[in-house]
Amino acid sequence: MSRRPRLGAAACATALALGLLAAAALTPATAVSPPLSDPRILVHFDLAAGQMPENIAMEPDGSADLTLIRSRQVVRVSPGGEVRQLAQMPEPADPATPVIGFAAVTGIARAHDGTLYFHFATGTDATGVYRLAPGGTPELLAALPPDSFPNGLALDEHRKALFSADSVHGVVRRIPLQGGPVTTWASGPELAPSGFIGVNGVRMHKDSVWVTNTDAGTLLRIPFCPDGTAGPIETRARDLTGIDDFGFTDPGGDTVLAALDTPNQVAYVRPDGTHTIVLTGADGLSNPTSVAVLGDTVHVTSAAFATTDPNLLLATLDRKQ
């Protein structure tokens, strides 16, 4: 680690409390493959403090809003590597989150007005989707079952709804932005777990909800029917071992960059379902969990569930490839 981020007085205090360091990548880039290049680590996080990046939402200026799963925080990382805490969720007295046991902040989504929505999974009545207005504090938007594990989260502003993946029950729930009942929008064996984590990552794309199933190693597309209900679940790619969350390389295309957590890789998944590994641990990955693309910059979060360096890694996307 080579330097601390240069912060103002208030931000410096926050960064000190978080124990974060921004740095250039220390790991030689020896495995990156086209169409990606120039992998570099923007921020190293403090594993001992539970600062394990889980999910990501991008700001228009290139800042990245991250959930830190075990420390129960939402932070914003500037393009220059400065880190600012946006929210700190409380530690429940008796957390009993399915699968992991501890209280966790997981999926995150951003509205055009800057409002953030994120999951808080606790195994208690505090489990739900929370809303964070710019400059505000988190407020509960919708309660979710205590025995669920809300994971990926996507926002459909056109339909005024959030779509929430439950990795334990194997369903995608629809959550109205203006309040109202939470309903099961999609279910089926394609979304179910087979021992650990089922449906996981969620993204809105071209009037469909795309999701992953970690146990099955699949990337799935769920179209909307004319009445807004879920259409048949379509498998778009297989053999993506340990797939977590993902991002599209282009708003108009179906090419995906997917985080493969357990093999410590990022896969470039083509529209025909074939894929190529384009980043590995040799580039700085440390159990990658999510991917976001803004312009020609790829952002990859690594939570270091079984490794030692939770971080935010950047790479350059060559769109001519």
Side-chain angles (χ1 to χ4, degrees):
M1 300 180 187
S2 60
R3 64 179 180 88
R4 284 187 189 274
R6 296 179 179 177
L7 309 175
C12 184
T14 300
L16 182 61
L18 287 171
L20 303 175
L21 291 175
L26 301 182
T27 304
T30 58
V32 65
S33 299
L36 300 191
S37 62
D38 190 26
R40 63 271 187 198
I41 295 177
L42 181 64
V43 177
H44 295 276
F45 294 86
D46 186 348
L47 181 61
Q51 295 160 0
M52 305 160 74
E54 164 65 12
N55 209 235
I56 185 169
M58 297 305 302
E59 294 285 332
D61 69 352
S63 296
D65 299 324
L66 309 181
T67 54
L68 304 183
I69 182 169
R70 187 145 196 166
S71 61
R72 310 179 311 283
Q73 294 165 320
V74 179
V75 300
R76 178 167 297 160
V77 182
S78 77
E82 297 178 351
V83 182
R84 179 163 62 95
Q85 180 177 300
L86 302 180
Q88 172 69 67
M89 298 302 287
E91 174 75 51
D94 296 301
T97 308
V99 179
I100 58 176
F102 57 86
V105 174
T106 54
I108 190 170
R110 181 189 184 276
H112 281 98
D113 67 0
T115 301
L116 297 176
Y117 300 89
F118 62 90
H119 281 143
F120 188 36
T122 67
T124 72
D125 290 341
T127 297
V129 176
Y130 287 74
R131 177 171 46 208
L132 179 62
T137 57
E139 58 180 355
L140 180 65
L141 173 67
L144 295 173
D147 67 346
S148 67
F149 184 34
N151 207 332
L153 185 67
L155 171 62
D156 185 342
E157 292 193 88
H158 173 69
R159 293 180 172 83
K160 297 180 173 60
L162 291 154
F163 291 85
S164 164
D166 181 345
S167 296
V168 168
H169 294 285
V171 301
V172 176
R173 295 188 176 93
R174 183 184 186 277
I175 300 164
L177 290 181
Q178 305 305 321
V182 175
T183 57
T184 296
W185 182 74
S187 61
E190 300 92 339
L191 307 180
S194 57
F196 184 50
I197 293 287
V199 61
N200 189 335
V202 187
R203 299 290 180 192
M204 295 297 307
H205 182 67
K206 294 167 57 177
D207 206 40
S208 297
V209 178
W210 291 59
V211 301
T212 62
N213 184 317
T214 299
D215 282 350
T218 50
L219 174 67
L220 309 166
R221 173 181 174 268
I222 312 173
F224 285 96
C225 294
D227 63 357
T229 57
I233 300 172
E234 172 189 354
T235 300
R236 296 302 300 262
R238 302 178 185 274
D239 301 321
L240 296 165
T241 301
I243 189 170
D244 198 321
D245 217 323
F246 60 100
F248 288 90
T249 63
D250 191 303
D254 292 348
T255 301
V256 162
L257 285 166
L260 309 185
D261 189 316
T262 46
N264 212 25
Q265 299 169 338
V266 167
Y268 182 79
V269 186
R270 303 172 187 86
D272 65 2
T274 61
H275 73 271
T276 303
I277 301 304
V278 292
L279 291 170
T280 74
D283 301 303
L285 298 181
S286 192
N287 297 129
T289 52
S290 63
V291 180
V293 181
L294 184 65
D296 295 332
T297 303
V298 176
H299 302 70
V300 185
T301 56
S302 284
F305 294 123
T307 50
T308 59
D309 181 24
N311 64 63
L312 174 61
L313 179 146
L314 308 183
T316 300
L317 173 65
D318 182 358
R319 296 189 179 277
K320 296 178 182 179
Q321 292 282 340

